[in-house]
Structures are given as C-alpha cells and as structure tokens.
Amino acid sequence: ITECSVYLSLLRFISAELTRGYFLEHNEAKYTERRERVYTCMRIPKELEKLMFFGIFLCLDAFLYVFTLLPLRVFLAMFRFITLPCYGLRDRRLLQPAQVCDMLKGVILVICYFMMHYVDYSMMYHLIRGQSVIKLYIIYNMLEVADRLISSFGQDILDALYWTATEPKERKRAHIGVIPHFIMAVLYVFLHAILIMVQATTLNVAFNSHNKSLLTIMMSNNFVEIKGSVFKKFEKNNLFQMSNSDIKERFTNYVLLLIVCLRNMEQFSWNPDHFWVLFPDVCMVVASEIAVDIVKHAFITKFNDITADVYSEYRASLAFDLVSSRQKNAYTDYSDSVSRRMGFIPLPLAVLLIRVVTSSIKVQGVLAYVCVVLFYCGLISLKVLNSIVLLGKSCQYVKEAKMEEKLFNPVPTATPGKPAGKQQGTFKSTQGISTDENGSTSVTNQPVHQKENMPSLLITSNSDQFLTTPDGEEKDISQDSSELKHRSAKKDLLEIDRFTICGNRID
C-alpha cells in the first residue's frame, strides 16, 4: 500500500509539473518594464548616433574655424590696429576683447607651427617602429590618458590667457602678467601637438605592421573600455560627460586616421591603389569605435534605468550652447564653448594637421597656388554652410525642447556658496537676442562691455542651468526641499563639468 501511494504521488507530481500553468498578467508592471528595457536598448543606437552626428559636426565647425575664419579675423584685427590713428581713439580699448583673443590664437598657431619644424616625424616613426608590440600597446594607453589630462588643464591655460589679456585695466592686478600666460599657452599647445603626433605615429606603425597584431591589440583596447564603464553607477550628468568625451574622442580619431592616410599616401607617391589597401583597416577602426560606444551606452542606460530620450536632452543642451553663443551679449566664442563642453581643443590638432599637410604636399608653380586658393575658398564655403545648417538645427532642437524662453528671459544662477536671493539683488542678466529697428535678430554683433560691478558671465552661464533638464516648465522650488537640494547639487556638478574637467567623465 505504501509503495502504491508513493507511486501515485509521483504520478500526480509529474502530472502537475506537466500541466502547471501561470499568468504573466498577475505581474504586469514587471514584465512591461522588462519589455521597455528591451525597446530602450533597441533605440539606443539610433539616439546615440544622432547625438554623435550632431556633436561631430559641432567639433568640425570649431575645427574649420581655425583654418578659415580665424585668419580673416586676425587680418581684420591687425588692419584695425594699424589704421587706428587715422580714425582716432574713440574708446579706451585699442582692440575689442574678441579681436585680442583672435590675435593671441593666431600668434600661438604661427609660433607653434614653426616650433613643430624642429620635430622630425620620420625619426619618431622609426623610433616607435623599433619597439615591441606590448611596449607600443602600453605607450598608446598612456598617451590616451595623457591626452585627457592635458586637455583638461589646457583649456584653463588658454582661458586664463584670454581673460588676463582682456581684463579691464582699472581693476587691481591679481595675475602674473600677460607674457607668462602667453608662454604657458605656447608651451601647452606645442606639447599637446607633439603628444597627438606620437599618437598618430603609433597608429601609423600599427597600420604598416605586417601581421596587423598591434592594430588588433589597439582595437581590443576599446572593448576593455566597456568593462571599466558599464558596471559603474551613472547619473544623467555623468552620462552627459561621457557622451561629450566620446564625441571628442571619435572626432579626434577621424583626424588621426586622416593624418595616417596622408603620411602613407606620401610614402607611396600618392598612388590611389594604396588607399584601397588602407581602406579596410580604416573601416575596421571606425566600426569598432562605433560598436564599442553603442554597447557601452546601451548597458549603461539599462543598468541605471535611463531612458533613450535623455540623448535628445543632451543634444538640446549642446544646441543651446551654440544658439546662446550667437547672441549679442555672448560671453565666449563658440569654439571655446565647444572646448569647455567636450574637452576638444582645436589649436594643437590644427597645428599638427598644418605641419603634416605642408610636409606631405609640395606646392610649386602658379597652378599649384591657384589650387591652394581654390581649396581655401572651398573650406570657407564648407565652414559657412556647416555653420548655417548647425544654427538652424540648433534653433529647431531648442524649440522642440521648449528652451527658447531661456534665451530671452534668462534666470541668473546663484554663485556656489551664496544664496540665490543675494545673487539676484546684485546682478540682473541682460543677455538676450537683440533685434534691430526692422525686427531682425542679430547674432553677430560685438559683445557689450560689462561694468565692473557686474560679476563675470563665465561662471553664471545660462547653458549650465539647463544642461540636462531642458523641460517645458520649471517647477516651484519651494514645493519640495529635497528637490531643491538635488538641483543645487546638480548645478554644482555641472559647473565643475564645464569649466574644470572639460566634459570628461568623473569616475
């Protein structure tokens, strides 16, 4: 009887296991959340690449500015300085602050370009090529870390030079002088250009290696980046920092690949057949970079419950920077704004590219100079077209994010450590898009000189206030004290992000 009952119990258990049912709708919220996570991961590639596409063209615009409009602006500033006695000194300034900054940028470019002639690219190439694969892999990783560190400090050096050169003379001197700042800026640009040259040379050695083992190891280094990122806690602000860093890194890699192709084509007498030999490796490097970014961002958003719509907010924040820099009372040039936001500083990269192009391409004869002039006109046309399209798209993104009121009615942000009420009592923002008598909007006028009793607009940037939360309406701060603390902490983090670490991620 006992054996029979055990046998029947076993049959009932097997029957129950075979016919047991369950209803997923009893936990509908859980499974709906899981499905939304899958949909979010599927949307990440599209949303991320839209942000990357927009950000890369922002970097391209700032990069083309160095080659196209900056020389013309330097020429206009020199013309004003030379012809100033003919018109008389109408104001206290010999040159406008923007013209002083342009002159400094132009002089730094020229000096660093001539200094780069003393660096032998061929000797550097053979010196690096003689090293072992493992040693080169370690060198390349060290160069990436050094590039981020020197970029974060380099923009501070340039900003200090610009402010020291344009600071009102009535104030008490609290700096070491323009000449020491200028020497530091020249040394920074020169050293950073050499660092990028070593990166490009190492990549060139990897392309020219026989078994491509070094190139494979360098590409696998991108996948190691996934391990160091996806298992860390990220907030929206940290993800924005990392997104900006990825944009800058991808654009810099494109320029490095361009330099590698130029050097290789020169060695093979510009034979077009050799370009198709390099093309698969170039595509492999670009594809691995895109794949790593997609996987990294997909899992970061999954593990931290961040929606894919956050990339539209990031894009709107970058667009807000562009639109606000075109206003009459803008506090900085657009290229400098991109440098602070993304950590992309175009001056060292421009110096290196000019050095490589001038050494790779020989200009001889009248026809060659005509081609150079036509190429320069084409660059100017590309820059103007790119700027117009970017400005139109930025206005569209700002309007879609309902941030356009922030441009006309900016709310002054409180200085860290001071209450907002005192800040409003001492400073009232006058920034806005000016309109002339015909009602047209002005975005290209010179900035109005601020009085001494006004605090610096560099700290109270309007784009910092709406960096990652470009929502339609602002909530009442007095409704919830915890929300006030959260916003204050976020604002402080954004100020550090923009003016101290140049958009690089804080681990």
Side-chain angles (χ1 to χ4, degrees):
I1 297 175
T2 303
E3 292 180 358
C4 183
S5 62
V6 171
Y7 179 73
L8 293 176
S9 299
L10 179 60
L11 290 178
R12 284 196 298 269
F13 175 77
I14 294 175
S15 177
E17 288 294 317
L18 294 176
T19 59
R20 179 173 55 87
Y22 47 88
F23 299 93
L24 299 181
E25 59 266 20
H26 291 169
N27 199 354
E28 180 179 355
K30 176 182 177 181
Y31 290 105
T32 302
E33 180 185 0
R34 295 292 190 275
R35 184 172 61 187
E36 290 300 325
R37 286 186 179 182
V38 174
Y39 293 163
T40 298
C41 289
M42 295 173 62
R43 289 181 56 196
I44 288 299
K46 178 182 177 181
E47 297 297 329
L48 176 63
E49 289 307 312
K50 288 167 65 175
L51 173 65
M52 289 287 178
F53 192 75
F54 182 71
I56 287 174
F57 275 94
L58 291 180
C59 294
L60 177 63
D61 191 65
F63 192 57
L64 289 177
Y65 171 82
V66 178
F67 301 98
T68 56
L69 299 186
L70 181 60
L72 299 179
R73 289 175 64 94
V74 171
F75 175 77
L76 292 177
M78 294 177 60
F79 181 78
R80 170 186 167 87
F81 184 77
I82 294 173
T83 59
L84 192 62
C86 301
Y87 298 98
L89 190 60
R90 298 180 181 179
D91 53 10
R92 298 180 180 180
R93 294 179 180 270
L94 296 177
L95 296 174
Q96 294 294 331
Q99 293 176 328
V100 174
C101 295
D102 293 334
M103 291 283 290
L104 291 173
K105 292 178 183 178
V107 174
I108 290 174
L109 275 176
V110 173
I111 293 177
C112 292
Y113 170 72
F114 284 106
M115 291 174 65
M116 288 294 292
H117 278 282
Y118 293 96
V119 181
D120 192 348
Y121 185 90
S122 300
M123 184 181 67
M124 183 183 298
Y125 175 82
H126 290 290
L127 180 64
I128 294 177
R129 189 174 184 178
Q131 308 300 321
S132 61
V133 174
I134 299 300
K135 189 181 293 186
L136 288 178
Y137 172 71
I138 296 175
I139 291 175
Y140 193 79
N141 288 338
M142 293 173 59
L143 291 174
E144 285 188 346
V145 176
D147 179 64
R148 294 192 179 187
L149 294 178
I150 197 173
S151 296
S152 63
F153 190 62
Q155 187 59 38
D156 293 339
I157 294 177
L158 295 176
D159 285 339
L161 172 63
Y162 301 152
W163 175 239
T164 304
T166 59
E167 187 178 9
K169 304 304 179 183
E170 295 83 3
R171 298 185 179 182
K172 182 179 178 181
R173 176 169 174 171
H175 53 80
I176 60 177
V178 178
I179 295 179
H181 280 286
F182 180 77
I183 294 175
M184 287 192 296
V186 171
L187 289 177
Y188 155 70
V189 175
F190 177 65
L191 293 177
H192 197 178
I194 291 179
L195 189 145
I196 300 175
M197 175 182 281
V198 177
Q199 279 186 296
T201 307
T202 308
L203 189 62
N204 195 6
V205 171
F207 269 74
N208 294 330
S209 60
H210 298 289
N211 53 4
K212 305 294 183 182
S213 59
L214 178 59
L215 183 63
T216 305
I217 293 176
M218 292 170 59
M219 289 175 54
S220 65
N221 186 43
N222 293 330
F223 293 91
V224 177
E225 185 181 353
I226 298 177
K227 177 183 177 182
S229 302
V230 297
F231 299 111
K232 294 181 180 179
K233 181 175 177 58
F234 277 84
E235 300 292 340
K236 290 173 63 177
N237 297 326
N238 301 111
L239 184 59
F240 185 46
Q241 295 166 354
M242 191 180 71
S243 300
N244 289 331
S245 181
D246 291 339
I247 293 172
K248 174 252 181 182
E249 182 180 356
R250 189 179 293 190
F251 181 81
T252 305
N253 287 338
Y254 292 162
V255 178
L256 292 180
L257 290 174
L258 174 62
I259 293 175
V260 169
C261 291
L262 287 175
R263 297 299 301 179
N264 278 274
M265 294 296 292
E266 180 201 4
Q267 297 299 323
F268 287 87
S269 302
W270 300 97
N271 185 6
D273 295 335
H274 183 68
F275 174 76
W276 298 111
V277 176
L278 297 173
F279 188 73
D281 295 332
V282 172
C283 293
M284 187 166 55
V285 172
V286 173
S288 66
E289 189 74 26
I290 295 175
V292 167
D293 288 340
I294 289 176
V295 173
K296 180 175 62 177
H297 284 264
F299 280 98
I300 287 176
T301 53
K302 177 183 183 299
F303 293 151
N304 295 276
D305 293 329
I306 300 176
T307 62
D309 296 330
V310 72
Y311 293 101
S312 299
E313 299 180 12
Y314 298 161
R315 189 176 57 191
S317 299
L318 296 177
F320 187 88
D321 282 346
L322 175 59
V323 176
S324 61
S325 65
R326 302 286 181 174
Q327 298 185 57
K328 180 179 180 180
N329 292 331
Y331 64 90
T332 183
D333 185 68
Y334 166 67
S335 59
D336 296 328
S337 176
V338 173
S339 301
R340 297 188 190 98
R341 180 70 77 193
M342 299 182 183
F344 171 69
I345 305 175
L347 289 181
L349 201 58
V351 169
L352 176 60
L353 187 59
I354 295 174
R355 171 71 174 86
V356 171
V357 171
T358 53
S359 62
S360 302
I361 301 176
K362 305 300 180 182
V363 180
Q364 297 177 352
V366 179
L367 183 60
Y369 283 101
V370 171
C371 293
V372 171
V373 173
L374 293 177
F375 180 74
Y376 179 71
C377 294
L379 282 181
I380 294 179
S381 303
L382 178 62
K383 169 67 174 68
V384 173
L385 178 62
N386 188 43
S387 299
I388 293 174
V389 174
L390 281 178
L391 188 58
K393 285 293 184 181
S394 299
C395 293
Q396 177 185 346
Y397 296 149
V398 170
K399 186 176 181 180
E400 290 176 354
K402 300 179 181 179
M403 297 169 60
E404 49 190 353
E405 294 182 359
K406 319 301 181 186
L407 295 171
F408 296 95
N409 299 312
V411 181
T413 58
T415 305
K418 295 183 180 180
K422 294 183 180 180
Q423 184 75 10
Q424 293 177 358
T426 58
F427 173 65
K428 182 177 180 181
S429 176
T430 60
Q431 186 174 354
I433 295 180
S434 62
T435 56
D436 55 15
E437 297 177 357
N438 299 327
S440 61
T441 304
S442 173
V443 295
T444 58
N445 294 333
Q446 291 287 343
V448 178
H449 175 61
Q450 302 293 335
K451 297 181 179 180
E452 288 187 14
N453 57 357
M454 288 188 179
S456 174
L457 289 177
L458 185 65
I459 300 178
T460 57
S461 170
N462 296 322
S463 59
D464 290 346
Q465 186 177 3
F466 314 107
L467 188 58
T468 58
T469 56
D471 296 327
E473 299 179 357
E474 296 182 0
K475 298 180 181 179
D476 188 3
I477 301 179
S478 61
Q479 290 180 357
D480 190 359
S481 59
S482 61
E483 183 181 359
L484 177 60
K485 294 181 180 179
H486 177 68
R487 289 188 178 184
S488 300
K490 179 185 295 186
K491 183 195 65 175
D492 294 338
L493 175 62
L494 298 179
E495 289 177 352
I496 295 174
D497 163 59
R498 181 161 188 171
F499 300 111
T500 303
I501 61 173
C502 293
N504 292 327
R505 177 169 55 87
I506 300 176
D507 290 330

